[in-house]
Amino acid sequence: MPNEWACKEDTMSIRDELNRLDEEMEKALGNLDSLTALEALRVMMLGKKGQLTAMMRMMGQLSAEERPQMGQLINERRERFTRMLDERQQAMQKKERELRLQMERLDVTEPKPLPEIGSVHPNTLVLNEVVDCFTGMGFEVVEGPEVELDHFNFELLNIPKNHPARDAQDTFYIDDNVVLRTHTSPVQARTMTTRKPPIRIICPGRVYRADEVDATHSPVFHQIEGLVIDEGVSMGDLKATLAAFARRLYGSDIHVRFRPSFFPFTEPSAEADLTCVSCRGKGCRICKGTGWIEVLGCGMVNPHVLEMCGIDPKRYSGFAFGIGLERITMLRYGIKDMRLMYEGDLRFLRQFREDVKEG
Ligand code: PHE
């Protein structure tokens, strides 16, 4: 029976082939190093053009009795191979995921260099002290615009057009009626026109003058305006208020003295000097041997100004003062050159960090 023999022969070769496939499968699984390689192996074994599928095709050559037996063997391989590949795939995916989690792990407790802590500008430190001092005496902080109407910066302060006092202020004009404010006094003018006495305010802010830049001058600097209006306010109140301010900022041995001066919006007007904060009055280079340093302009609000702002000068009187913030900051910290305060050099600014500043 040549046919039967031939069938036996085919059966043998299919069995051999299946055994060979088993081995190949074992070996290939052992060598797998990636999920891509695993997919390639799956295609090679089980795909449409894969080895097991090719063997299914060979079954046509077998006899009717042998076919189911071989078919069963091949199907058993298909199931087993599928299971092996799936298990392996799951194991590899799990490992890959663990590896990724490991790599992406964040240690939230790991110490990190701290971000650089900024410092409060010395001008702001001193301004805070000044505000503290005056609010403690019942003053309120009021602010106004830096781009100001000529009307408030000059007219209402008794400085009409063509008045020589305008030249002294080196004004930056925006147009005929608008200026960069040359002082904080327009805020007192604005307040007097909108409020009724009693008024007790300080007005800190930036001011502008077309000035030289040197150790004591800058075209942009800061002033703190003070204004008190009530019945019976006197020059004595002004002096006592300024003395309290000077003691608070520089110590209890600091005194205030007045020298006559002139401002169009105050009458009488004065320059206020403080005991030199460097030599405490003995005389040194800073006070040019006099024992006194000049720190602010002040005076009794000119009755004409009160009237222009709608306040009755027969009933009310008031005092005003204008402090140069940079000047008192420089005195407070012994800063010799005003430019240091605007250059933003960190070596300068770091010295004012809260944690390194001495009381
Ligand atoms: N505004 C004046 C100036 O800038 C200072 C000043 C304010 C004087 C208030 C008297 C009263 O020079």
Side-chain angles (χ1 to χ4, degrees):
M1 289 187 280
N3 195 20
E4 191 170 296
W5 183 82
C7 283
K8 279 248 157 49
E9 188 74 338
D10 285 343
T11 316
M12 284 307 290
S13 71
I14 289 180
R15 276 184 200 280
D16 285 350
E17 186 65 5
L18 283 175
N19 287 339
R20 194 188 59 71
L21 274 187
D22 284 350
E23 273 172 37
E24 194 179 330
M25 186 66 181
E26 287 291 340
K27 211 168 134 202
L29 271 182
N31 290 337
L32 276 187
D33 57 359
S34 71
L35 281 162
T36 333
L38 183 135
E39 271 326 293
L41 178 61
R42 192 192 291 277
V43 170
M44 191 182 89
M45 289 294 180
L46 310 171
K48 269 193 198 139
K49 294 178 183 157
Q51 304 214 41
L52 268 182
T53 319
M55 294 185 70
M56 278 300 217
R57 291 213 186 89
M58 281 169 71
M59 300 243 300
Q61 301 163 19
L62 300 179
S63 69
E65 312 94 77
E66 280 163 331
R67 229 177 274 161
Q69 209 187 341
M70 283 302 119
Q72 199 183 348
L73 281 179
I74 294 173
N75 276 337
E76 187 262 326
R77 290 301 186 293
R78 178 172 289 281
E79 275 166 31
R80 187 149 54 86
F81 284 7
T82 306
R83 206 172 51 243
M84 285 162 89
L85 286 164
D86 286 354
E87 275 169 14
R88 188 57 189 278
Q89 183 178 14
Q90 272 167 24
M92 283 172 93
Q93 277 170 342
K94 191 170 167 224
K95 208 165 147 203
E96 198 169 82
R97 196 175 129 79
E98 273 165 12
L99 216 71
R100 209 182 60 231
L101 286 178
Q102 190 76 31
M103 268 163 47
E104 292 174 357
R105 211 180 78 184
L106 276 182
D107 180 358
V108 291
T109 67
E110 189 179 358
K112 225 179 130 263
L114 288 172
E116 172 100 25
I117 298 170
S119 53
V120 180
H121 194 278
N123 259 344
T124 310
L125 288 172
V126 169
L127 176 60
N128 288 344
E129 278 185 62
V130 174
V131 167
D132 255 16
C133 166
F134 282 103
T135 50
M137 291 192 275
F139 284 68
E140 179 193 341
V141 177
V142 174
E143 290 180 309
E146 290 173 26
V147 179
E148 183 57 284
L149 291 171
D150 185 287
H151 180 66
F152 290 112
N153 195 80
F154 292 125
E155 299 278 338
L156 280 185
L157 294 168
N158 207 21
I159 314 173
K161 287 218 157 71
N162 304 317
H163 190 286
R166 288 201 180 205
D167 298 341
Q169 301 240 351
D170 301 313
T171 312
F172 284 115
Y173 279 89
I174 304 246
D175 62 35
D176 278 354
N177 295 311
V178 181
V179 301
L180 293 182
R181 67 178 177 193
T182 56
H183 49 180
T184 42
S185 301
V187 190
Q188 53 154 305
R190 281 176 175 273
T191 308
M192 285 189 280
T193 51
T194 52
R195 293 197 193 180
K196 298 231 164 318
I199 294 171
R200 218 175 280 119
I201 57 165
I202 54 165
C203 322
R206 203 170 282 146
V207 300
Y208 302 82
R209 287 186 198 181
D211 220 340
E212 298 288 313
V213 177
D214 62 27
T216 53
H217 293 88
S218 158
V220 185
F221 59 104
H222 299 79
Q223 283 189 340
I224 307 160
E225 191 83 4
L227 174 73
V228 170
I229 299 188
D230 205 343
E231 291 179 14
V233 175
S234 75
M235 198 103 176
D237 297 320
L238 168 61
K239 197 168 178 200
T241 305
L242 293 176
F245 151 77
R247 282 199 300 269
R248 165 75 186 262
L249 231 70
Y250 299 107
S252 54
D253 56 334
I254 301 296
H255 300 280
V256 183
R257 79 170 184 189
F258 283 166
R259 278 179 295 107
S261 183
F262 173 78
F263 299 103
F265 36 93
T266 47
E267 184 58 38
S269 302
E271 299 278 354
D273 296 342
L274 301 187
T275 313
C276 176
V277 299
S278 180
C279 62
R280 316 309 274 191
K282 286 193 206 72
C284 66
R285 215 163 37 83
I286 290 180
C287 59
K288 298 191 183 82
T290 64
W292 294 96
I293 42 171
E294 181 189 324
V295 289
L296 55 87
C298 58
M300 298 306 290
V301 181
N302 191 318
H304 184 46
V305 171
L306 289 178
E307 209 162 9
M308 280 193 288
C309 294
I311 292 173
D312 178 5
K314 286 192 204 73
R315 181 167 172 203
Y316 294 107
S317 59
F319 65 74
F321 56 86
I323 306 172
L325 177 58
E326 277 76 359
R327 174 118 171 98
I328 58 169
T329 301
M330 288 165 80
L331 290 169
R332 181 77 163 78
Y333 291 112
I335 300 166
K336 303 251 161 21
D337 193 321
M338 194 163 166
R339 287 167 288 198
L340 286 167
M341 291 205 274
Y342 306 118
E343 282 165 355
D345 188 327
L346 292 179
R347 290 168 303 177
F348 171 76
L349 294 170
R350 278 199 192 113
Q351 298 174 62
F352 300 95
R353 260 172 48 176
E354 289 294 309
D355 51 347
V356 296
K357 198 183 80 186
E358 320 133 38

